[in-house]
């Protein structure tokens, strides 16, 4: 964890922010994850998943983000709490 980023976060009262990461080397492109989290994940022309923008997950979508992680057969998706 980058301490400067961590400790400099101004919105701690709102709780941690969650980001989704997709490991492009693991992703096999079956797009299961998209069904759980289309707001944050999208596929490219070849069907491989990647995050939209910075991959930040709105608090109301965190449960679905964790389901996307749990349902990726390649363990290609991770979440990080910032
Ligand atoms: S479920 Fe996993 S392997 Fe399949 S497209 Fe999504 S990130 Fe890639």
């Amino acid at each position: 964890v980058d301490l400067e980023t961590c400790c400099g976060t101004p919105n701690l009262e709102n709780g941690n922010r969650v980001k989704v990461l997709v490991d492009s080397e693991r992703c096999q492109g079956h797009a299961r994850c998209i069904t759980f989290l289309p707001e944050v994940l999208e596929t490219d022309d070849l069907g491989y998943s990647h995050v939209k923008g910075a991959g930040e997950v709105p608090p109301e979508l965190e449960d679905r983000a964790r389901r996307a992680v749990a349902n990726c057969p390649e363990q290609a998706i991770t979440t990080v709490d910032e």
Side-chain angles (χ1 to χ4, degrees), residues 21-80:
L21 304 173
V22 176
D23 183 339
S24 59
E25 293 190 2
R26 284 179 176 257
C27 177
Q28 295 298 311
H30 13 61
R32 274 193 200 190
C33 52
I34 308 294
T35 64
F36 290 102
L37 202 60
E39 298 87 347
V40 179
L41 297 169
E42 60 187 356
T43 53
D44 64 17
D45 292 344
L46 298 175
Y48 294 98
S49 177
H50 60 267
V51 298
K52 297 179 182 177
E56 289 189 357
V57 179
E60 66 273 19
L61 299 183
E62 286 180 15
D63 282 351
R64 285 206 271 124
R66 297 189 197 288
R67 286 170 64 192
V69 171
N71 282 276
C72 173
E74 311 299 334
Q75 288 88 48
I77 310 174
T78 52
T79 58
V80 291

Side-chain angles (χ1 to χ4, degrees), residues 3 5-17 81-82:
L3 283 180
T5 302
C6 169
C7 300
T9 301
N11 292 322
L12 287 178
E13 67 271 20
N14 294 333
N16 291 342
R17 290 177 160 218
D81 295 323
E82 298 205 315

